[in-house]
């Protein structure tokens, strides 16, 4: 039940304002037929890293969570990406403070974290919800894919059912990547094209999405 709640787009965490880099890619010419490949590429790079961070955060105390903040920052070189990530993390913690107001670790992390990356915040929230490491990794990956799919419908002439179908088609890979996130360390994947686009997107006018 709680995993469904945290994965529901109606849970107010601000994810609807982010496209995962899709808006900048569309501005450079990416078309409807390329969205599924974009979504999958994100899962195997950014998504894989964030899933591992979320899984690690489930079992962490406050010092551990702050150390994971540093691990996330070391893998995110662009200030605009870190800012977007922090916005999502803060949104999650704000909602979690209402759902689990007596959770001491959540409250302490919210007060102490300067960076507050989404993946670490998600893992901390999953722990408070009683979810395990694999569930946190799965949820992180699903949100990444679903966020891109939701943005695609707003950015391109695309049927929403088709976009949802792309997410469903990735279910097996999401489950496999979630298992890897629990079993292995935190990867460090390079995404120079996403980084370059994030820089130009932040300076652009008429944007629909924050990232």
């Amino acid at each position: 039940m709680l995993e469904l709640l945290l994965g529901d787009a109606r849970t107010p965490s601000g994810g609807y304002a982010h496209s995962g880099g899709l808006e900048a890619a569309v501005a450079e010419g990416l078309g409807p037929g390329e969205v599924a490949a974009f979504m999958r590429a994100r899962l195997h790079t950014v998504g894989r890293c964030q899933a591992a961070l979320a899984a690690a955060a489930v079992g962490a105390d406050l010092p551990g969570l702050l150390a994971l903040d540093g691990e996330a920052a070391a893998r995110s070189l662009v200030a605009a990406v870190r800012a977007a990530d922090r916005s999502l993390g803060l949104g999650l913690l704000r909602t979690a403070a209402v759902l689990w107001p007596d959770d001491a670790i959540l409250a302490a992390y919210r007060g102490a974290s300067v960076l507050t990356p989404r993946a670490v915040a998600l893992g901390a929230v999953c722990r408070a919800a009683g979810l395990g490491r694999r569930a946190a990794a799965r949820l992180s990956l699903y949100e990444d894919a679903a966020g891109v799919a939701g943005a695609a419908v707003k950015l391109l002439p695309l049927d929403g059912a088709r976009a949802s179908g792309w997410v469903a088609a990735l279910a097996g890979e999401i489950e496999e990547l979630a298992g890897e996130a629990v079993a292995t360390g935190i990867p460090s994947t390079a995404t120079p094209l996403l980084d370059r686009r994030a820089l130009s997107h932040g300076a652009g006018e008429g944007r629909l999405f924050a990232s």
Side-chain angles (χ1 to χ4, degrees):
M1 171 65 180
L2 290 172
E3 189 173 354
L4 293 175
L5 174 65
L6 292 175
D8 192 330
R10 291 169 295 184
T11 300
S13 60
Y16 62 87
H18 297 265
S19 74
L22 182 66
E23 185 172 18
V26 169
E28 290 190 2
L30 183 139
E34 300 169 286
V35 175
F38 178 92
M39 190 184 300
R40 185 171 183 269
R42 269 194 63 93
L43 282 182
H44 284 267
T45 52
V46 176
R48 181 168 159 252
C49 179
Q50 294 215 335
L53 286 164
V58 170
D61 57 10
L62 178 59
L65 291 173
L66 296 177
L68 287 171
D69 280 5
E71 294 286 348
R75 291 162 173 79
S76 183
L77 303 180
V78 178
V81 175
R82 290 197 300 272
D85 205 29
R86 183 169 191 267
S87 174
L88 289 168
L90 290 173
L92 273 170
L93 293 180
R94 185 169 56 250
T95 299
V98 174
L99 298 176
W100 297 281
D102 299 323
D103 191 285
I105 294 179
L106 270 184
Y109 177 63
R110 190 182 183 196
S113 178
V114 174
L115 301 171
T116 326
R118 166 197 167 274
V120 180
L122 178 62
V125 171
C126 284
R127 181 207 55 78
L131 300 176
R133 297 177 66 203
R134 186 166 188 140
R138 184 191 304 117
L139 182 57
S140 179
L141 290 158
Y142 165 75
E143 284 189 343
D144 195 275
V148 172
V153 176
K154 298 179 177 68
L155 291 166
L156 293 162
L158 185 64
D159 178 38
R162 187 182 178 196
S164 294
W166 289 332
V167 179
L170 289 166
E173 286 181 69
I174 286 174
E175 196 62 43
E176 182 178 342
L177 287 168
E180 290 178 8
V182 173
T184 63
I186 303 167
S188 182
T189 54
T191 54
L193 188 55
L194 280 177
D195 291 344
R196 180 183 65 75
R197 286 172 174 164
L199 288 170
S200 61
H201 184 263
E205 296 181 358
R207 293 175 293 148
L208 288 178
F209 295 94
S211 67

